[in-house]
Amino acid sequence: MMESKKTKNLFLNALLLVVVVGLLWWAPENLDGYKIQILNLIAIYSILGLSLNLIYGFTGMFSLGTAGFMCIGAYVSSLLILPEMQKDMIFILEPLNPILYGAHAPFVVAVLAGGVAAAIAGLIIGIPVLRLGGDYLGIATLGFAEIIRVVANNIPTITNGALGLKGIPAYANLWWNYGWMFFTLYVMYRLVNSNFGNALKAIRDDELAAKAMGINTFKYRVISFTVGSFFAGIGGALMASLLTTIDPKMFMVIMTYNVLMVVVAGGLGSLSGSVIGAVVVTVLLEWLRFVENPITLGSFEIPGVPGMRMVIFALSLIMIILYRPEGVMGNKELSWEGLFGLGKGGKDHE
Amino acid sequence: MTGQMFVQHFFNALTLGSLYALIAIGYTMVYGILRLINFAHGEIFMLGAYFIFYTGSLFNLPWVVGAVISIVLCALCGIMVDKVAYKPLRDAPRISALISSIGMSFLIQNLAIVVFSGIPKPVVRPDFFVKIMVIKGVRILPLAVIVPVVCFVLVLGLLFIVYKTKPGLAMRAISKDIETTRLMGVSVNRIIALTFGLGSALAAASGIMWALRYPQIQPLMGFMPGIKAFIAAVVGGIGSIHGAVIGGLILGFVEIMTVAFFPELSGFKDAFAFILLIVILLAKPTGLMGEKIEEKV
């Protein structure tokens, strides 16, 4: 019975993969650039959501540093893929550091380097800051992200200061983004369903009890934070190449809030929830643009209100937390049994 | 650096520090009672600046009347924020209220952009605030003296309320043990509303004076001072009103003096507060005046 279920799941997973790959073939030919951009953003927000969910949803560490790690990943990877000619063109006020000027790497290496740089930053900040608990950690990581941004704004020989980097090669297409997304999903799935993941969940649920059970909670927290930072860096690197232009302003706290919204909407402690959250948030953010355009209802004309989009977005965040704090998925995972209504809902992360 | 320059920087630091202190008190009071970082507090500060701007420019009210109206409106806004976003979540996990407060901050910011427009507005300042006085070669704005004095008076008033009145007693009781206080027949929700009202009134006072000191207002102006004042509250020891004042002053001095002594670092100005925060948290996790937190087993 168990075996057949496993084979069936494997089969359905393979089928899903085939469908997604087929969709990725089909999309560039048949969809317009705007829709493809949204699909790309969904993949990147999924990676970012998964990264924050590991730190916050599974380990219970309230971190508000996502934007800072993204910033590091974005700059490191962009500097590695920018052609020298483009570097000459954008660094006009102050020349680029010669070491960075000559540095080049293929896209996949550049993105990895962005992730590794963010992970190292995560380790360095994590060791001192993770001694703090709860809210202090949130404020300290928020502060760290803000420091990164201020520094990026003030080292023109590396980051080109407030002008940012332009003309970053647009390598991040659907294939790369969804490839990285599935890689992230796979790593996260293996992580949280291992002994390591059980330790994380124990720390989340009751740190003192976990400590009493002999778990080195500090070590686990640092590793979880570092891995989460790695994927935030990857997300930042992909986003830089997707948008082809970055500047320090892009990585303000609002970026972290968007990712937080993905996690909260999808469900804390649910991997599939993060992906669903990414779809909901990205589509909502785009779809809400209609409120800023004039609407004609019969003979009435409602003028568009600029800025209204973010008001509604903020309201939805409050509504979700007030009326459905567990998000779409809670801490459950989407599963085939749940989908077909065979089992008792999704698999629980307990 | 000459002595005169130093005195000028000293007054600038004192002004900025007092403004931070007033906002920090609001954080510390709410955190002391609900264990909640009220991210929307910086937005109340911003509203204070806007209300004084509009009472002056739209209704041509005298400046003092405008200030009083602005403070009252902000206190009401603070109470509203509590009613809408935090009260339904009193029994929910603390993190829910925290996310709700992030949403609220986000909402007020964007509402402000819609209502007031995102374009920065110049604030017209009454002459007597900005007529520069020259004392022994030191050029001082009257504001640089008025702000610390007003701040001092407001803090004294607050301390009187918290330590000498019945509602103040209830506030202190709630911060120790909310359940027991409820059992003693205290209307907890009313006291919490009062706390939000008082904290928001102080933030409004700070916002008004901020608009006079740095006479340009825009909808996102509350974010940075808000976060920095929170840092001030943590540095001083969250939950302690004295701590918030001390933390605010320290932050003001660190920010102004570092830039004064090392002008080449002025681009990094906004990072100093965070570095100070991380250093203090590592050395003394509960802040300078903080109480020891026992871990509950």
Side-chain angles (χ1 to χ4, degrees):
Chain A
M1 185 63 191
M2 273 317 267
E3 262 325 287
S4 76
K5 205 168 169 187
K6 219 172 174 180
T7 338
K8 199 176 116 196
N9 276 349
L10 206 65
F11 172 71
L12 286 170
N13 283 341
L15 196 71
L16 179 70
L17 207 64
V18 169
V19 170
V20 172
V21 168
L23 202 69
L24 293 185
W25 270 113
W26 174 82
E29 303 287 320
N30 296 289
L31 292 177
D32 57 69
Y34 180 56
K35 291 197 179 99
I36 290 177
Q37 185 79 350
I38 293 176
L39 284 178
N40 275 316
L41 281 173
I42 288 176
I44 294 175
Y45 271 115
S46 300
I47 295 173
L48 296 168
L50 288 166
S51 135
L52 185 61
N53 217 337
L54 179 73
I55 298 176
Y56 177 28
F58 286 100
T59 325
M61 303 182 288
F62 188 61
S63 161
L64 290 173
T66 307
F69 297 115
M70 285 176 69
C71 183
I72 294 176
Y75 273 100
V76 168
S77 135
S78 301
L79 284 171
L80 287 176
I81 56 173
L82 270 172
E84 278 173 18
M85 214 180 72
Q86 187 67 24
K87 286 179 180 169
D88 285 333
M89 266 167 64
I90 48 181
F91 284 86
I92 22 174
L93 291 182
E94 302 218 22
L96 176 63
N97 183 310
I99 301 171
L100 290 170
Y101 183 75
H104 287 289
F107 185 53
V108 63
V109 180
V111 172
L112 259 180
V116 169
I120 293 172
L123 190 67
I124 294 173
I125 181 81
I127 289 175
V129 162
L130 289 178
R131 289 176 206 286
L132 308 167
D135 311 344
Y136 290 119
L137 178 63
I139 265 314
T141 45
L142 180 81
F144 165 74
E146 211 43 42
I147 291 176
I148 293 283
R149 204 176 64 77
V150 169
V151 169
N153 214 355
N154 286 286
I155 42 172
T157 57
I158 298 175
T159 61
N160 204 20
L163 295 174
L165 305 178
K166 284 188 214 48
I168 302 164
Y171 296 134
N173 54 15
L174 283 174
W175 292 106
W176 279 118
N177 291 333
Y178 277 86
W180 277 107
M181 187 193 104
F182 277 109
F183 171 71
T184 314
L185 203 55
Y186 176 75
V187 172
M188 293 288 172
Y189 180 79
R190 292 301 295 263
L191 265 183
V192 302
N193 287 305
S194 63
N195 254 337
F196 180 82
N198 287 336
L200 296 187
K201 287 172 228 162
I203 295 170
R204 171 192 66 191
D205 293 338
D206 191 335
E207 191 174 350
L208 237 68
K211 216 182 242 168
M213 296 294 287
I215 296 175
N216 184 346
T217 54
F218 181 66
K219 189 182 92 185
Y220 278 95
R221 278 158 54 118
V222 170
I223 296 176
S224 162
F225 193 72
T226 310
V227 175
S229 315
F230 173 79
F231 284 108
I234 299 270
L238 292 174
M239 193 171 272
S241 173
L242 178 71
L243 303 179
T244 71
T245 164
I246 52 173
D247 63 78
K249 262 204 175 130
M250 218 179 104
F251 302 101
M252 296 217 289
V253 186
I254 183 161
M255 183 64 95
T256 304
Y257 288 177
N258 284 349
V259 180
L260 185 69
M261 176 83 174
V262 166
V263 177
V264 172
L268 288 170
S270 166
L271 299 179
S272 41
S274 288
V275 178
I276 296 173
V279 176
V280 170
V281 169
T282 316
V283 173
L284 187 70
L285 269 177
E286 291 304 322
W287 177 73
L288 277 176
R289 285 188 196 279
F290 89 93
V291 297
E292 298 191 359
N293 299 326
I295 305 165
T296 322
L297 288 175
S299 55
F300 284 103
E301 175 118 358
I302 304 167
V305 188
M308 206 56 194
R309 182 170 78 106
M310 293 319 276
V311 172
I312 298 179
F313 188 65
L315 261 180
S316 357
L317 179 61
I318 297 176
M319 288 300 163
I320 291 176
I321 206 71
L322 287 185
Y323 296 109
R324 197 172 163 81
E326 71 278 19
V328 178
M329 294 300 296
N331 62 359
K332 294 188 168 45
E333 291 294 355
L334 208 58
S335 70
W336 294 112
E337 292 92 63
L339 266 186
F340 297 137
L342 299 175
K344 292 181 203 153
K347 192 160 70 83
D348 219 340
H349 271 294
E350 285 298 345
Chain B
M1 181 177 292
T2 61
Q4 290 163 359
M5 288 277 282
F6 180 78
V7 175
Q8 261 169 40
H9 288 306
F10 177 85
F11 274 102
N12 283 339
L14 195 64
T15 310
L16 187 63
S18 316
L19 293 174
Y20 283 149
L22 284 181
I23 318 174
I25 290 171
Y27 279 113
T28 228
M29 284 171 53
V30 168
Y31 194 90
I33 286 191
L34 293 178
R35 300 276 176 272
L36 164 72
I37 304 176
N38 177 15
F39 274 99
H41 196 59
E43 272 54 67
I44 302 283
F45 162 89
M46 174 268 293
L47 288 180
Y50 266 96
F51 289 152
I52 187 84
F53 173 79
Y54 279 108
T55 49
S57 71
L58 281 187
F59 303 106
N60 281 321
L61 291 174
W63 192 83
V64 181
V65 180
V68 172
I69 293 178
S70 165
I71 288 176
V72 171
L73 282 178
C74 281
L76 290 177
C77 286
I79 295 171
M80 277 285 288
V81 167
D82 171 51
K83 272 245 158 60
V84 174
Y86 309 143
K87 203 173 157 198
L89 294 171
R90 290 268 199 270
D91 301 317
R94 260 175 50 213
I95 220 79
S96 301
L98 193 60
I99 294 171
S100 179
S101 91
I102 288 178
M104 209 60 204
S105 144
F106 210 23
L107 177 67
I108 301 177
Q109 267 176 19
N110 287 295
L111 267 179
I113 293 176
V114 170
V115 177
F116 306 137
S117 99
I119 304 159
K121 290 187 161 57
V123 177
V124 183
R125 307 186 282 184
D127 281 340
F128 63 93
F129 285 129
V130 282
K131 201 186 266 165
I132 291 174
M133 305 182 293
V134 183
I135 304 165
K136 290 188 179 166
V138 183
R139 297 155 58 86
I140 295 177
L141 281 180
L143 257 183
V145 182
I146 296 171
V147 171
V149 171
V150 172
C151 169
F152 184 71
V153 172
L154 289 177
V155 172
L156 276 189
L158 180 75
L159 286 176
F160 176 79
I161 295 176
V162 172
Y163 288 99
K164 298 283 178 213
T165 64
K166 269 256 165 91
L169 180 68
M171 269 182 210
R172 282 178 291 140
I174 292 176
S175 74
K176 292 278 180 239
D177 188 339
I178 191 163
E179 271 318 305
T180 314
T181 314
R182 186 174 281 145
L183 292 176
M184 306 292 268
V186 175
S187 166
V188 168
N189 279 330
R190 224 183 262 172
I191 298 295
I192 291 176
L194 176 69
T195 311
F196 272 91
L198 282 175
S200 303
L202 292 181
S206 180
I208 293 167
M209 292 191 283
W210 189 283
L212 293 173
R213 181 72 184 78
Y214 309 98
Q216 198 185 47
I217 56 175
Q218 44 105 354
L220 301 182
M221 67 182 279
F223 178 73
M224 253 306 159
I227 292 287
K228 284 187 186 160
F230 179 76
I231 290 174
V234 174
V235 165
I238 198 141
S240 148
I241 293 175
H242 302 88
V245 175
I246 293 170
L249 290 175
I250 290 179
L251 206 58
F253 274 87
V254 166
E255 209 174 302
I256 298 281
M257 290 304 175
T258 339
V259 174
F261 283 102
F262 310 98
E264 67 276 13
L265 289 182
S266 58
F268 295 94
K269 185 172 71 88
D270 284 341
F272 297 146
F274 297 104
I275 294 169
L276 179 73
L277 170 80
I278 292 173
V279 170
I280 292 278
L281 282 180
L282 292 177
K284 209 163 176 305
T286 51
L288 298 174
M289 307 277 283
E291 294 166 37
K292 257 213 158 123
I293 306 167
E294 307 122 54
E295 275 187 273
K296 277 185 195 146
V297 182

